[in-house]
Amino acid sequence: MAEQLTERLAVDLDDGFTELVRVHATAVRAFLFRVTGSAAEADDLGQDTFLRAYTALRGYSPARRRALRPRAWLMTIAANVWRNHVRAGVRRPVSATTVEDACQAWPDDRPGPEERAYHAEDRGRLVSALTELPENPRVAVVLRHVVGLSYGEIAEAQGCPVGTVKAQVSRGIGSLRQLLEAEDPPTREVLS
């Protein structure tokens, strides 16, 4: 499918770009939502990501468009857009919707309202914990476990060796465990 997409980009940029957005917009938004914790920021940064992608593609030759790995390339742009946003310290109006509310609005096929509430609460805690991770482990964990990129694709997107990505993912997961355990310490029974 990636070959068909890159061929469409090489032959007709506008048609190919429309397909690129259709295929990858959800993954880009999911990544940005997880690293920002804000649906409004994820939408804004997602639009900026695709604007920058289109601008870049216009300057590429058809041969270079054919050689693209679209998913990793877009995630690289999305990560850079997010980093630039954080570095600039831009404060955009935040949606009145909290991360927890947005998580609860996600479709959930599990039966029973109690079980759905329990899982929505877990997702909310996980998203909140993700926003507390440092930049590199957070990006690596989201790209690996939310977006589903391979370690090689993440390494390409991050511009670092595969071993570094594996270490970042491992550290990120370890930090997430610690953050989640700190939120919910085990209960002790009191002996009478």
Side-chain angles (χ1 to χ4, degrees):
M1 180 166 174
E3 294 86 23
Q4 292 173 344
L5 181 56
T6 55
E7 184 61 31
R8 283 177 84 169
L9 285 168
V11 173
D12 181 357
L13 177 59
D14 291 335
D15 178 53
F17 187 75
T18 301
E19 185 65 11
L20 179 80
V21 172
R22 187 189 69 73
V23 171
H24 295 289
T26 302
V28 168
R29 187 183 186 284
F31 165 73
L32 290 167
F33 180 69
R34 290 302 198 291
V35 295
T36 64
S38 164
E41 276 187 306
D43 290 340
D44 289 346
L45 295 176
Q47 289 178 5
D48 195 21
T49 297
F50 283 105
L51 177 63
R52 289 175 189 236
Y54 185 77
T55 303
L57 286 169
R58 285 182 40 200
Y60 289 3
S61 69
R64 186 168 179 192
R65 288 185 213 146
R66 277 187 189 94
L68 275 180
R69 292 180 39 166
R71 188 167 73 156
W73 180 73
L74 280 171
M75 291 304 157
T76 301
I77 294 171
N80 288 335
V81 164
W82 172 70
R83 284 186 189 107
N84 290 341
H85 173 73
V86 170
R87 285 185 191 124
V90 175
R91 300 291 178 231
R92 297 181 184 179
V94 178
S95 164
T97 305
T98 65
V99 170
E100 290 78 17
D101 291 341
C103 290
Q104 291 173 356
W106 292 346
D108 193 348
D109 297 333
R110 293 179 179 92
E114 295 87 11
E115 191 173 340
R116 281 194 308 234
Y118 176 76
H119 290 293
E121 181 181 318
D122 283 348
R123 280 194 302 268
R125 288 179 53 224
L126 183 59
V127 169
S128 293
L130 270 170
T131 60
E132 294 182 37
L133 292 180
E135 178 182 319
N136 287 335
R138 180 186 336 174
V139 170
V141 166
V142 171
L143 288 174
R144 178 71 180 144
H145 293 289
V146 175
V147 178
L149 294 183
S150 69
Y151 288 116
E153 289 172 319
I154 299 168
E156 183 180 322
Q158 297 270 40
C160 63
V162 172
T164 301
V165 170
K166 288 180 179 181
Q168 289 172 346
V169 171
S170 178
R171 277 194 302 271
I173 296 295
S175 295
L176 279 175
R177 282 189 183 116
Q178 289 176 345
L179 288 167
L180 293 172
E181 287 171 0
E183 278 183 21
D184 194 19
T187 56
R188 288 192 230 166
E189 290 183 31
V190 178
L191 299 174
S192 19

